[in-house]
Structures are given as structure tokens and as C-alpha cells.
Amino acid sequence: MRLLAPAKINLVLRVGPKDSADGFHPLVSWMCAVGLFDTLILNHRLESRPAGARVATPDRISSAAIDARSIQAEDCRVSLHCDDPALPTDGRNLVVRAAELLARLNDDRGETSSSARRSSTARHDENVWEIVPSNRHASIQLEKRIPSGGGLGGGSSDAARALLGLAKLWRLDASIDQLHALAAQLGSDVPFFLHGTSSVCTGRGEIVQPIGQPACKACVLILSGIVTLTPAVYRRFDELTNVQSDGDWSSQPPWDEWIKLSALDLLPKLANDLERPAYDMHPELGRLQQRAQQLLDRPVRMSGSGSSLFTLYDTLPDAARAAEHLREQIHIDRRWDSVAVSLAPKIEDDLAI
Ligand code: C5P
């Protein structure tokens, strides 16, 4: 099974004051998938291990959400091979954690009706897990094209695609609610990737409301190569933000009108509250944003907690010309690139969703 996991950008990212109970920040974010993809190849059979390959087993996964009773070290095996040697291929990789969580999903009830699905969700909520069936094995190859740590959600997207793909491969009767619950355990951005290509995400990002696709069809991604660490950017956000938030961050604009706007009409309305802390920590990123805005003569925004920047165009040829212009004009020391990609692309892989 061949799966394409798209990157995302945060067209809007408004952040509220930190919730003292869980340490996360409440958000309002309009997220959109973009046409830059990692590829996952899933095989049901666990391949014989090449020398040096690492195989993740449940006892190497630390997730409090997994009921200890369900851990059967030999029952579930997932091997991950990745073409980026910098990425871990054990339980630190979200794809492996997604597979391990899914392998423990109770699916042995033989129920298929919608009422049965509702009851299975309830059982899942009560954390009733059964032992992992022995056929829930997988060998996964991951080809990375989305830069890691760039605010483009690559790891989250890989994990979400793995959940959907393995549920199909293993013929699980898993409802979207069950997959969503697993996705939310894996990370705040993961649920977005289960639900189409344009959504407003709230809560800590895990409450996903799909909206229409934007009328503008393309964006230029500026892959800055600068490393911004998400928890550190949120911490600087806390330091720079008044404890008394005015609540403005939580107001919801008329999304149905915004999706109809052309790129030049939409861009001035977009905002990312993490830009200030990210540019404060990485002034060279702020300078790159300023320079790109001048060269392209339109607003440039940051995605997520950085370090990728983006701007929008109505068509892909317009975006391709702009990306080329940036490559010609910007000469900076760091490893960086600018690429033109489609916004909210159709994802044509082996998942019929
Ligand atoms: O959920 P995820 O693992 O992607 O979050 C990474 C880190 O980003 C969290 O540990 C937290 O520091 C920060 N974060 C946050 N509020 C959010 C999402 C993430 O503070 N809504």
C-alpha cells in the first residue's frame, strides 16, 4: 500500500494563554494541506530484518495511554525503515507509535453496524483494550520529503496516514472517532490530517472542523533550514505575552467568506501569534521574512512554530515564478529552498478517502 502524507501550513494561528492544567495553549488555527508529500509504503508482512535494522516492540514504547494489561511484547511488531538517517525508527518515531497504538485497538467484536460503532467508541473511551491479534504486523518504509522541524507537520501527517493505512491493511473496523482519539494522543496536529485538507482546529489543535477549500490554489514555501523548537517557541510566547490576554485570539472570523478571497485579499487577514517569539529567538528568520516580503511584494507568514515561511498565489504557475525569483535573489549561508506547491491538493494514493 502506497500512501502520500501531505505537509500543512497554518494560514491562521491564534494562540491563547497557557492552560495551567495541562501546560498546552488553546488555539484557533486554519490549517491547510499543501502539495509537498512524504511517502509511506506499508506491507502487512514483517520483513526479515536487515543487519542493523531496528524493530520497535511495545516494551520500548512509553505511552501512559496504553493500558498496561494489553502489552504483549511478541504480539505486535512494526518495523520502520526511513531514508533520512537523522530520524529515529523506533518508538520515538510517531509512525511507530501510531502503529503500536492501533495494533492495540480493540477490534475483535465482529460488530459493523453504526450503533455497534458507537458502542465500540464508548468501550474505547473506557480504555478497554484487548490483546494484540498476531496478524497486526507491518513493515513500513518512509521516504521523507517534508523537512523535519519546519512547522509543516510532516511527522504528524506521517502518523495520521499510517493510522488510516494500517486500519485498512489490517481490516480493522475502526471508526473515525476511534482513529481521532488515537491521533490526539500522538500530538496536537495529528487529528487534522485525518479530516480532509482545509480545517479550523481549536482546543490544543485536536478539535477539527473541516471548512471549504481556499479559492487561491497555490503557495510558495520558504524552507529556511533554521531549527525552531516548538516547546521553546511556546515558552518564549509565554514570556512575551501579557498574562491577561484580551481574548481577541479566540474570535472566529467568517471563514466561509475568507475561503472565497483571492490570494492578495486573503493574505493581509492572516496572522500567526508564534511569529513574534520565533523571530525574537531567531532574528535571521525575521530578516528572511522581511526580505521575502519585499521581493515578492506581498505578506509572508510563518507556519506553525516555524521555521518555514509561506505566501499565497491564485495559481501554481504564479507561485512557481515567485519561488524561482526568490531563489535567484536571496543568497544566504544556510541551507534553504523555496518551492511552489498546490494548496489543499487532491491526495491520490491507495487510500480511498
Ligand atoms: O502536541 P505536540 O506534541 O505537537 O506539542 C509539542 C509541544 O508544543 C508541547 O509539548 C507544548 O510545549 C507545545 N504546545 C502547546 N500548545 C499547543 C500545542 C503544542 O503549548 N496547543
Side-chain angles (χ1 to χ4, degrees):
M1 186 182 282
R2 179 176 167 275
L3 305 178
L4 293 174
K8 60 82 180 166
I9 54 174
N10 301 78
L11 291 172
V12 171
L13 179 53
R14 302 305 312 273
V15 181
K18 182 165 82 172
D19 181 331
S20 53
D22 66 6
F24 280 77
H25 296 72
L27 310 173
V28 174
S29 183
W30 178 13
M31 286 167 59
C32 230
V34 297
L36 174 66
F37 299 96
D38 288 342
T39 303
L40 291 121
I41 311 285
L42 308 187
N43 279 301
H44 203 162
R45 193 169 39 86
L46 189 68
E47 285 167 3
S48 57
R49 257 181 281 176
R54 286 167 289 174
V55 174
T57 52
D59 53 355
R60 283 157 60 185
I61 313 295
S62 67
S63 172
I66 299 174
D67 186 326
R69 285 169 299 169
S70 74
I71 291 178
Q72 304 283 315
E74 292 307 314
D75 277 341
C76 170
R77 291 211 150 198
V78 177
S79 72
L80 175 67
H81 306 276
C82 180
D83 64 352
D84 181 349
L87 293 184
T89 52
D90 58 15
R92 289 168 296 168
N93 192 303
L94 278 186
V95 168
V96 173
R97 291 187 52 208
E100 298 284 359
L101 279 182
L102 189 67
R104 279 166 194 74
L105 186 64
N106 175 7
D107 191 59
D108 293 330
R109 297 169 304 282
E111 298 163 329
T112 51
S113 71
S114 57
S115 64
R117 282 208 190 92
R118 274 198 299 280
S119 87
S120 70
T121 305
R123 292 184 66 180
H124 165 75
D125 289 345
E126 290 157 26
N127 253 336
V128 179
W129 305 87
E130 291 182 0
I131 62 163
V132 177
S134 57
N135 63 348
R136 293 183 191 178
H137 290 176
S139 158
I140 305 173
Q141 264 173 273
L142 174 59
E143 294 165 17
K144 288 298 291 181
R145 295 296 171 269
I146 305 170
S148 302
L152 298 174
S156 300
S157 182
D158 297 342
R161 218 67 189 159
L163 283 177
L164 291 168
L166 289 172
K168 191 171 174 186
L169 193 77
W170 290 340
R171 299 178 198 277
L172 304 186
D173 182 25
S175 70
I176 192 68
D177 287 350
Q178 286 176 303
L179 295 182
H180 188 110
L182 299 184
Q185 288 179 40
L186 292 165
S188 309
D189 282 350
V190 183
F192 162 76
F193 292 102
L194 296 177
H195 303 273
T197 52
S198 172
S199 293
V200 174
C201 301
T202 53
R204 61 182 172 90
E206 86 287 12
I207 302 170
V208 182
Q209 178 62 51
I211 61 170
Q213 298 185 343
C216 50
K217 293 292 172 222
C219 85
V220 169
L221 293 178
I222 304 170
L223 311 172
S224 74
I226 296 164
V227 177
T228 52
L229 300 174
T230 302
V233 173
Y234 273 103
R235 270 198 303 277
R236 185 61 59 93
F237 171 86
D238 294 337
E239 287 159 15
L240 294 174
T241 310
N242 247 333
V243 181
Q244 299 296 327
S245 168
D246 56 10
D248 204 28
W249 65 272
S250 62
S251 62
Q252 298 248 0
W255 303 111
D256 287 347
E257 289 171 27
W258 284 26
I259 62 173
K260 294 180 198 147
L261 298 175
S262 68
L264 279 178
D265 288 336
L266 178 59
L267 276 164
K269 297 180 180 299
L270 305 184
N272 181 344
D273 289 335
L274 297 182
E275 281 182 33
R276 193 166 154 239
Y279 299 161
D280 188 63
M281 296 171 76
H282 302 279
E284 70 276 32
L285 187 57
R287 285 195 292 274
L288 180 61
Q289 185 237 14
Q290 292 295 318
R291 181 98 175 96
Q293 288 195 149
Q294 284 162 4
L295 286 168
L296 300 179
D297 196 23
R298 62 184 58 212
V300 168
R301 297 265 66 86
M302 187 177 82
S303 181
S305 57
S307 62
S308 301
L309 308 174
F310 69 89
T311 189
L312 302 179
Y313 287 86
D314 292 326
T315 70
L316 200 52
D318 288 347
R321 273 189 292 277
E324 180 63 32
H325 182 56
L326 277 187
R327 277 198 298 274
E328 286 166 5
Q329 297 295 319
I330 295 187
H331 303 287
I332 53 174
D333 290 341
R334 290 175 182 277
R335 195 173 145 263
W336 81 286
D337 200 3
S338 67
V339 290
V341 293
S342 52
L343 200 56
K346 195 163 189 296
I347 300 171
E348 298 186 85
D349 65 6
D350 290 340
L351 272 182
I353 57 165

